[in-house]
Amino acid sequence: MRIELDVISRFLHRLPFRSRPWLGAPLALAAAMIFALPAHAEGPPPRPPKDKLFALSATLRARYEAIDGQARAHFNRSDELVSFRTILTADYRPDPQVHLVAELWDSRVYGGNRGTPVSTGEVNTLEPAQLFVGVTLPGALGKGSKIDLQAGRFLLALGSRRLVAADEYRNTTNSSTGVRADLATPGGWKATLVYVLPQQRLPNDLDSLLDNDVALDRERFDLVLWGGLVTRAKTIAGAMAEIGFVHFGERDAPGRPTRDRSLDTFSGRLIRDPAPQTWDFELEGIVQRGTVSASLATNAPTQDVRAWFVHGDLGYSFAGPWKPRLALEYDHASGDRPGGRYSRFDPLLGMRRADLAPGALYNAILRSNFISPGVRLEAVPSAKTDLMVSYRPFWLAAREDAFSSTGVQDSSGRSGSFAGHQLDTRLRYSLTPTIRLEADVVMLAKGRFLREAPNAPPGSWTRYVSINTMLLF
């Protein structure tokens, strides 16, 4: 293992980052964690049986990340950050059909400064992210049916997770307070209904975030999400069909001006899961309607929203010991064009890592104002290792709007529409059932737009790397 760490260290020192004051710390931390814990037999992480009365679990993730040639406007060109995420979970099951869950999240960062893109996506200290009661009602809708109910504060993911998710890569999570109902019938029909108040993470000022200050999050009726999904298994060509609707509404609150978004988002999806020596596919279309204020000003005019997003992929899983899967992908998220209506797609609370790229210090890509075909290769070299390589070129859907989440914009449209080429790689390795390692490397060759737009950061390349160690108890 010491040889592997030396190889990683030499590789990182060859990358063109200007300074590495934090590099030794995460590597030493990862090594200390690995050698301090006893080895375990191979296999999946131990899970408490569902009939156990009370169970405690914990996870700790330590991450080192660095970036050079930042693509986002107004931040340090080069940066490094160390982050820690600790999750403590208690699950109490007084009855097979009733369970109570309490979960504490502690997310912190070190090494940032006022030019580092630190937000509530990175810092949220000592926060009770989940505190809910769940009840299962078998046979409530007839023989073979089931209803699962949740009430309280909980993590929420819907469907493809492109609109509502608890992003795993990010250092903090999306939590909500409300109710959820999941219905299932023996005929393959399922439905999910939710009414929640999304968590407003606190503190949210930069100085408090850099100091890892503690403040309890809040939920209010000035930020509401409700809606649901209906799915049916094996509907077309063995694929699951899904239709969904989500309403997202916000209004100003004391000390919290907003764009007063009132968005109705309709979605439809077909997905056939990967299987050996079989074609798989996914197609999802999303339409967004509603209103939004033109700015944060209280007297800002209201604009009608007409936005949309589409995702498609077609893959094939080959036979062989590595189980390779090759897929062609396409994503298109509308951007805002001149003319009065607001046409920039809003990804709401969706995840991004699974489809697009890492967040954290990189965080240049989300589902707004881009067109991107792509090719992806996934493989499982061993029971303990998996890897992914993805290539995507990016264009702006509307050249007058800011590109994705970079904040880079040319309102004249004269800087063109090509943003660049992105190569994204990920390697994950389970050293033991309770110790998992992950390395992510992203290279972005900036296109004309990201080089020439008026507020584009200097440089032709963005280089990002992260090293993650996760412990499960």
Side-chain angles (χ1 to χ4, degrees), residues 94-291:
D95 182 274
Q97 297 174 7
V98 178
H99 69 119
L100 292 86
V101 173
E103 189 168 82
L104 180 72
W105 281 56
D106 186 77
S107 304
R108 301 168 184 258
V109 298
Y110 299 92
N113 55 52
R114 295 193 63 81
T116 303
V118 172
S119 71
T120 59
E122 287 71 47
V123 177
N124 198 13
T125 53
L126 294 174
E127 183 61 38
Q130 297 204 89
L131 185 61
F132 69 87
V133 58
V135 178
T136 299
L137 304 175
L141 301 175
K143 186 178 179 180
S145 68
K146 184 177 71 168
I147 298 178
D148 289 307
L149 301 174
Q150 275 184 223
R153 179 187 274 195
F154 48 84
L155 307 186
L156 180 61
L158 296 178
S160 67
R161 304 186 302 128
R162 295 187 178 100
L163 287 172
V164 180
D167 197 320
E168 172 60 24
Y169 188 86
R170 205 179 70 193
N171 207 42
T172 66
T173 191
N174 295 327
S175 184
S176 301
T177 297
V179 293
R180 170 177 179 156
D182 292 279
L183 299 77
T185 70
W189 287 92
K190 295 182 179 180
T192 299
L193 303 173
V194 300
Y195 184 96
V196 297
L197 311 179
Q199 175 189 52
Q200 299 173 34
R201 291 184 294 274
L202 295 173
N204 54 18
D205 64 284
L206 182 57
D207 288 336
S208 296
L209 293 171
L210 291 173
D211 290 338
N212 294 304
D213 287 346
V214 179
L216 289 178
D217 298 345
R218 67 186 176 208
E219 291 90 353
R220 293 179 177 174
F221 283 95
D222 53 54
L223 183 62
V224 176
L225 183 145
W226 57 268
L229 299 169
V230 177
T231 66
R232 184 176 185 273
K234 298 181 180 179
T235 302
I236 301 174
M240 182 198 75
E242 173 189 281
I243 58 173
F245 168 80
V246 172
H247 174 80
F248 184 89
E250 69 177 358
R251 60 174 183 259
D252 294 349
R256 185 178 172 270
T258 72
R259 293 284 301 275
D260 302 304
R261 288 175 291 174
S262 180
L263 301 176
D264 294 322
T265 304
F266 305 84
S267 63
R269 183 166 71 119
L270 281 174
I271 179 170
R272 180 176 176 178
D273 292 329
Q277 301 184 68
T278 304
W279 290 95
D280 61 85
F281 62 87
E282 182 181 14
L283 178 63
E284 182 168 32
I286 303 175
V287 175
Q288 208 164 61
R289 297 291 184 264
T291 59

